[in-house]
Amino acid sequence: MATEGTTSFLVPVQAEDTQFPPGTAAIFFNRRMELNRDATILLLSVLQPSDYIDVMGATGVRGLRVAHECHIPVTINDRDETAIPVIERNVKEADLNIEVTHRDANALLSERSFDAVDVDPFGTPAPFLDACVRGSRRFLFVTATDTAPLCGAHKKAGIRRYFALPKNTEYHSEVGLRILLGALVRETVKYDRGIEPLFCFAREHFARLQVRITRGPKAADETLTHIGFVMQCPKCPYRHEEPGMVPETGTCPECGTRLDPIGPLWLDSLVQKETLDLMLSHLETIDLGTKKELQKLIPICRDELPTASFYDYHHIAQRLTVSPPPIDAVLQRLSSAGYSVSRTHFSGTGIKTDAPLQEIYRSISAQR
């Protein structure tokens, strides 16, 4: 028996002495995804959709929690016949009125629609994005755990799955999240729909999209204006953003090297600030196991600049052969020079700013 939030449920026994315990059980359950689930419970408590489907339920934990803690009508689906008895038992033990379906996810979402669709597969969500878009009326939530292809460590797999050019940069975690969001945009706009990111974030082992679906050709066209590329110098930290579906060629103004395009990816904000403010207010009244983490994560995400990359100032200090000053000192210097600047949830040593590279160099190498 396990408990998350205020919901208790049965999970299969795992071999805890192995490198990846969830992989040793017949039905998958990853305790390390509690933050992911807690964030969704908090968001859904604010959004209150009319109904919700957990497309790949496994033990059913996510759907169970939504029904019990958010009081939203829930459907839990899984195509694995061994998962269905576990889900049904958990539903019965919790005494919840939840619909349980045993279907292929793509087939089910081609026939039915739900106000909120949530897909959390083992690995890539790429094969399910099209059906999830068609089956979503207002909200779509997507988890990806194939961070290596998304972030450029497995480049060919990233190109195949997301039809984008990833690159293993110092800001690779942000590249992964934004490439995933760009892939979702391409699956959405072909149906004359658009998206509005509500709370999209990344942690060490997953990327999480939580978006609102908007409707109509104008919404789709407006969404496409946020797609483009990060043009990155392969030899120095210089980069710039370039909107559009096809990248222009260019050279680095710092060292003259040909720039590498990264994308297409999402170039704008990853969150809706008003929604995050509501979540923070509601967080005070809700019982979540990762509350302290969310109390730190949400404000950082809310205040992040919408730039599509960040600078790791420790890497730059190493390049400049100087000792890195306190991060607050760097932020203050850039702000005093008239530039926008923020920290980032992607990295504790990451800085987002619209300052030119030479100004960033000066802020890091300046004497204390």
Side-chain angles (χ1 to χ4, degrees), residues 39-51:
T40 301
I41 294 299
L42 181 58
L43 178 58
L44 286 171
S45 298
V46 170
L47 298 178
Q48 282 297 306
S50 59
D51 62 352

Side-chain angles (χ1 to χ4, degrees), residues 3 26 34 46 71 84 95 97 125 129 184 205 213 218 228 247 254 268 272 287-288 294 309 319 346 354:
T3 300
E34 183 176 2
V46 170
H71 311 292
I84 299 302
D95 193 24
N97 184 22
L129 292 181
L184 179 59
H205 55 287
I213 302 292
K218 288 185 178 179
E254 299 288 330
D268 210 336
Q272 186 181 67
D287 186 7
L288 298 173
L294 289 169
S309 68
R319 181 181 182 87
F346 292 104
D354 57 4

Side-chain angles (χ1 to χ4, degrees), residues 122-126 143-151 157-158 161-162 180 205-207:
F122 181 78
T124 178
T143 296
T145 55
D146 60 331
T147 52
L150 279 167
C151 298
R161 293 174 186 174
Y162 301 103
L180 180 63
H205 55 287
F206 69 84

Side-chain angles (χ1 to χ4, degrees), residues 75 88 130 137 193 203 246 264 268 279 290 295 308 336 347:
T75 298
E88 290 177 336
D130 177 81
R137 293 198 297 271
R193 299 178 189 177
R203 303 309 270 177
V246 179
D268 210 336
M279 291 172 66
T290 63
Q295 286 172 332
S336 297
S347 170

